[in-house]
Short mmCIF file of all heavy atoms in Angstrom, two decimals:
data_model
loop_
_atom_site.label_atom_id
_atom_site.label_comp_id
_atom_site.label_asym_id
_atom_site.label_seq_id
_atom_site.Cartn_x
_atom_site.Cartn_y
_atom_site.Cartn_z
N LEU E 36 -12.96 70.44 -23.47
CA LEU E 36 -13.13 71.86 -23.14
C LEU E 36 -14.54 72.28 -23.54
O LEU E 36 -15.20 71.62 -24.35
CB LEU E 36 -12.13 72.70 -23.95
CG LEU E 36 -10.68 72.29 -23.91
CD1 LEU E 36 -9.90 73.01 -24.99
CD2 LEU E 36 -10.12 72.61 -22.53
N HIS E 37 -14.97 73.40 -22.98
CA HIS E 37 -16.22 73.99 -23.47
C HIS E 37 -15.87 75.33 -24.09
O HIS E 37 -15.16 76.13 -23.51
CB HIS E 37 -17.22 74.17 -22.32
CG HIS E 37 -18.53 74.69 -22.81
ND1 HIS E 37 -19.47 73.86 -23.38
CD2 HIS E 37 -19.04 75.95 -22.84
CE1 HIS E 37 -20.51 74.59 -23.74
NE2 HIS E 37 -20.27 75.85 -23.43
N HIS E 38 -16.35 75.54 -25.29
CA HIS E 38 -16.09 76.82 -25.95
C HIS E 38 -17.39 77.58 -26.10
O HIS E 38 -18.40 77.01 -26.51
CB HIS E 38 -15.46 76.59 -27.33
CG HIS E 38 -15.12 77.88 -28.03
ND1 HIS E 38 -13.98 78.58 -27.78
CD2 HIS E 38 -15.82 78.61 -28.94
CE1 HIS E 38 -13.95 79.68 -28.51
NE2 HIS E 38 -15.07 79.72 -29.22
N GLY E 39 -17.36 78.86 -25.77
CA GLY E 39 -18.54 79.69 -25.96
C GLY E 39 -19.36 79.83 -24.70
O GLY E 39 -18.87 79.67 -23.59
N VAL E 40 -20.65 80.09 -24.90
CA VAL E 40 -21.51 80.44 -23.77
C VAL E 40 -22.09 79.19 -23.12
O VAL E 40 -22.05 78.10 -23.68
CB VAL E 40 -22.67 81.33 -24.24
CG1 VAL E 40 -22.13 82.54 -24.99
CG2 VAL E 40 -23.63 80.54 -25.12
N SER E 41 -22.65 79.39 -21.91
CA SER E 41 -23.44 78.33 -21.27
C SER E 41 -24.84 78.88 -21.05
O SER E 41 -25.07 80.09 -21.19
CB SER E 41 -22.81 77.94 -19.93
OG SER E 41 -21.46 77.61 -20.12
N GLU E 42 -25.78 78.03 -20.67
CA GLU E 42 -27.19 78.42 -20.57
C GLU E 42 -27.62 79.04 -21.90
O GLU E 42 -28.13 80.16 -21.96
CB GLU E 42 -27.41 79.43 -19.42
CG GLU E 42 -26.94 78.95 -18.06
CD GLU E 42 -27.67 77.70 -17.59
OE1 GLU E 42 -28.87 77.54 -17.93
OE2 GLU E 42 -27.04 76.87 -16.92
N ALA E 43 -27.43 78.26 -22.96
CA ALA E 43 -27.65 78.80 -24.31
C ALA E 43 -29.09 79.29 -24.53
O ALA E 43 -29.34 80.13 -25.39
CB ALA E 43 -27.28 77.75 -25.36
N ASP E 44 -30.05 78.79 -23.73
CA ASP E 44 -31.45 79.22 -23.87
C ASP E 44 -31.61 80.72 -23.69
O ASP E 44 -32.57 81.33 -24.17
CB ASP E 44 -32.34 78.55 -22.80
CG ASP E 44 -32.44 77.06 -23.05
OD1 ASP E 44 -31.96 76.64 -24.14
OD2 ASP E 44 -32.96 76.34 -22.19
N CYS E 45 -30.70 81.32 -22.91
CA CYS E 45 -30.82 82.76 -22.61
C CYS E 45 -30.30 83.64 -23.74
O CYS E 45 -30.30 84.86 -23.64
CB CYS E 45 -30.08 83.09 -21.32
SG CYS E 45 -30.78 82.27 -19.89
N PHE E 46 -29.79 82.99 -24.80
CA PHE E 46 -29.28 83.78 -25.93
C PHE E 46 -30.27 83.67 -27.09
O PHE E 46 -30.62 82.56 -27.51
CB PHE E 46 -27.90 83.26 -26.36
CG PHE E 46 -26.84 83.49 -25.32
CD1 PHE E 46 -26.66 82.60 -24.27
CD2 PHE E 46 -26.02 84.62 -25.39
CE1 PHE E 46 -25.69 82.82 -23.31
CE2 PHE E 46 -25.04 84.85 -24.43
CZ PHE E 46 -24.88 83.94 -23.39
N ILE E 47 -30.75 84.83 -27.54
CA ILE E 47 -31.78 84.81 -28.59
C ILE E 47 -31.48 85.88 -29.65
O ILE E 47 -30.62 86.74 -29.46
CB ILE E 47 -33.18 85.10 -28.01
CG1 ILE E 47 -33.13 86.42 -27.21
CG2 ILE E 47 -33.69 83.95 -27.14
CD1 ILE E 47 -34.48 87.06 -27.05
#
Side-chain angles (χ1 to χ4, degrees):
Chain E
L36 309 167
H37 183 81
H38 182 82
V40 306
S41 307
E42 304 299 328
D44 292 351
C45 297
F46 293 84
I47 54 158

